[in-house]
Amino acid sequence: MSELISYQEGAVILVGVDFGLPHFDSELEELGLLAQTAGLQPVARIVCKRKAPDAALFVGSGKADEIKELALMHRASEVIFDQTLSPAQQRNLERQLDVAVYDRTFLILEIFAQRARSHEGKLQVELARLQYLSTRLVRRWSHLERQTGGAGVRGGPGEKQIELDRRMISESIKRTRERLAKVQKQRGTQRRQRERRETFNISLVGYTNAGKSSLFNALVKARAYAADQLFATLDTTTRNLYLGDARRQVSISDTVGFIRALPHGLVDAFKATLQEAVDADLLLHVVDASNPHHPEQMAEVQSVLAEIGADNIPQLLVFNKLDALESGQLPLHLQDEIEVDGVQVPRIFVSAHTGQGVPALRAELASRSGSASAAAMTLDADAELHDAAS
């Protein structure tokens, strides 16, 4: 029966399960944006409440039947869950729904695969995808029967197709890791050269679509790709920024954006890219001031920074998209301080689009880099005095 259905290519059903956790996206707004970013078209959304995931179908058989009816009604070819599914749950749901089933992790991986431009970025995404797929081979190959084997057949008599594919994907992971290690070594050499020049390093971090690349372009007059979409850019871009007030150049890097439930495989794979944040002297934490969920987004960024060991680096909060705020939302002061994880952090309101607040931000960066330079000179002088005294 299902073979006669004319599915609409790219049409997807979005599914979210509320387990009573805080900040549940009941409208599936972010998942919808992710789907559109991946080139898909959400045609229906369904949300249900559960105390715990169903071991077999994640949502239970009754809700699975409801999703199936919805997919048939809209001729949807795929169903995407906002949470991570186990390989068994994904396999069982595909059998139950008769359509392809994916989860949030797979969707983010697909977007990263589409957006990666540099050789390093492509390798990082490939490694994360291979690691993800390695746990799901049973779903892809469960329909194949045991091979007969025989002379000259790789794998020997009776080896299952899944065992062959596990070996192939394991070898691919090993090769990709080796190639990535070479690229990371080259990046490390470049980073050490900057350190030898005693360059003050600034990294832009923030939730995806907060406007990091637009701000980066406004500061250095570069042409890094920027768009009003999730994960518009993945690859780290580094430029020199001349700060006239400090009469010096600093190094500034635009890094990949963060997102809620960023797959751990991607965090691990992008360690080399995120290393720019770890090695920074100052983090510009860019926040979309116009987004009503920006406090939760800030918390997600802080969580990832802690995971990569960059949570102790000094931060300057840059509340971007000032031009998108309603008149009643405009701040009383364009520069102030707010508490983040128990620490008072300086904040500046800017609009990368109109340029409002950008001169004040440049002045603050000049002050920070000048103070760091003076501190470094003091330390050098103290060291020389210590050597002379001894």
Side-chain angles (χ1 to χ4, degrees):
M1 182 70 179
S2 60
E3 295 178 356
L4 301 177
I5 298 171
S6 175
Y7 290 107
Q8 183 181 343
E9 187 175 354
V12 297
I13 305 291
L14 306 182
V15 182
V17 183
D18 183 0
F19 294 113
L21 299 175
H23 316 309
F24 173 70
D25 186 4
S26 58
E27 301 298 322
L28 299 180
E29 180 182 357
E30 191 168 86
L31 185 65
L33 290 173
L34 285 169
Q36 291 172 355
T37 301
L40 303 172
Q41 180 58 49
V43 293
R45 306 173 190 224
I46 184 169
V47 173
C48 63
K49 287 188 176 183
R50 288 187 65 89
K51 291 183 179 180
D54 179 75
L57 295 170
F58 195 75
V59 291
S61 58
K63 187 58 67 173
D65 290 338
E66 189 177 335
I67 296 170
K68 183 175 182 178
E69 291 178 10
L70 203 60
L72 290 171
M73 182 190 309
H74 292 278
R75 297 188 292 119
S77 57
E78 300 173 18
V79 172
I80 301 177
F81 280 73
D82 197 28
Q83 288 91 355
T84 300
L85 302 172
S86 71
Q89 288 167 338
Q90 189 173 0
R91 181 179 67 251
N92 293 337
L93 282 165
E94 287 193 335
R95 289 172 177 168
Q96 183 89 356
L97 305 180
D98 285 330
V99 294
V101 175
Y102 302 109
D103 60 12
R104 180 186 180 89
T105 299
F106 180 83
L107 188 57
I108 294 174
L109 286 170
E110 283 299 296
I111 295 170
F112 273 50
Q114 293 173 12
R115 296 289 165 84
R117 292 291 178 266
S118 71
H119 180 53
E120 180 183 22
K122 290 177 180 178
L123 286 174
Q124 290 169 328
V125 174
E126 180 64 14
L127 178 59
R129 291 183 76 192
L130 286 169
Q131 291 171 332
Y132 175 85
L133 291 173
S134 66
T135 64
R136 315 216 166 219
L137 284 173
V138 62
R139 176 174 62 88
R140 292 298 177 206
W141 302 108
S142 58
H143 64 285
L144 296 178
E145 296 180 356
R146 181 178 293 272
Q147 290 185 332
T148 57
V153 178
R154 184 182 179 189
E159 184 167 22
K160 291 181 180 178
Q161 178 69 42
I162 186 174
E163 292 166 351
L164 287 173
D165 284 283
R166 276 208 180 105
R167 185 189 305 157
M168 288 169 60
I169 206 166
S170 177
E171 291 171 354
S172 295
I173 288 174
K174 182 180 178 182
R175 286 196 301 270
T176 304
R177 276 181 173 154
E178 290 172 351
R179 293 164 64 192
L180 189 55
K182 292 180 181 178
V183 177
Q184 290 172 347
K185 187 176 180 181
Q186 293 171 356
R187 182 180 284 275
T189 301
Q190 295 169 355
R191 190 178 295 113
R192 284 192 295 274
Q193 289 174 346
R194 291 204 303 270
E195 290 172 352
R196 280 198 293 270
R197 293 195 298 267
E198 295 183 350
T199 304
F200 186 81
N201 298 311
I202 303 169
S203 279
L204 278 74
V205 297
Y207 207 79
T208 182
N209 206 29
K212 293 189 312 303
S213 295
S214 297
L215 182 61
F216 180 80
N217 290 339
L219 285 170
V220 301
K221 295 178 174 58
R223 294 184 179 180
Y225 181 68
D228 185 17
Q229 56 187 204
L230 305 185
F231 300 119
T233 181
L234 297 181
D235 300 307
T236 295
T237 305
T238 302
R239 294 286 188 274
N240 288 326
L241 169 63
Y242 180 73
L243 298 171
D245 291 353
R247 296 181 180 179
R248 67 173 299 185
Q249 279 196 150
V250 298
S251 174
I252 185 166
S253 299
D254 181 21
T255 62
V256 62
F258 303 154
I259 196 169
R260 175 175 60 84
L262 186 68
H264 285 288
L266 276 177
V267 175
D268 290 339
F270 272 77
K271 280 279 175 66
T273 300
L274 297 174
Q275 190 69 32
E276 297 293 342
V278 177
D279 294 336
D281 297 298
L282 176 67
L283 296 179
L284 291 190
H285 182 168
V286 184
V287 179
D288 180 356
S290 67
N291 191 308
H293 304 294
H294 74 260
E296 292 86 357
Q297 294 180 346
M298 289 173 61
E300 289 294 338
V301 173
Q302 293 298 131
S303 176
V304 176
L305 289 176
E307 189 172 348
I308 65 174
D311 50 329
N312 291 323
I313 297 172
Q315 286 188 30
L316 175 60
L317 283 172
V318 182
F319 271 48
N320 191 24
K321 305 189 182 181
L322 184 61
D323 57 299
L325 293 177
E326 301 290 338
S327 57
Q329 298 175 312
L330 292 173
L332 296 175
H333 305 284
L334 295 183
Q335 290 185 248
D336 58 12
E337 288 188 350
I338 63 170
E339 186 175 305
V340 178
D341 294 338
V343 178
Q344 289 296 118
V345 179
R347 172 174 64 174
I348 295 181
F349 284 86
V350 306
S351 168
H353 179 64
T354 66
Q356 184 180 5
V358 173
L361 174 59
R362 292 177 66 95
E364 179 66 22
L365 295 179
S367 174
R368 294 291 189 98
S369 64
S371 299
S373 178
M377 290 175 64
T378 301
L379 286 174
D380 290 342
D382 290 345
E384 289 178 5
L385 287 172
H386 177 77
D387 291 341
S390 58

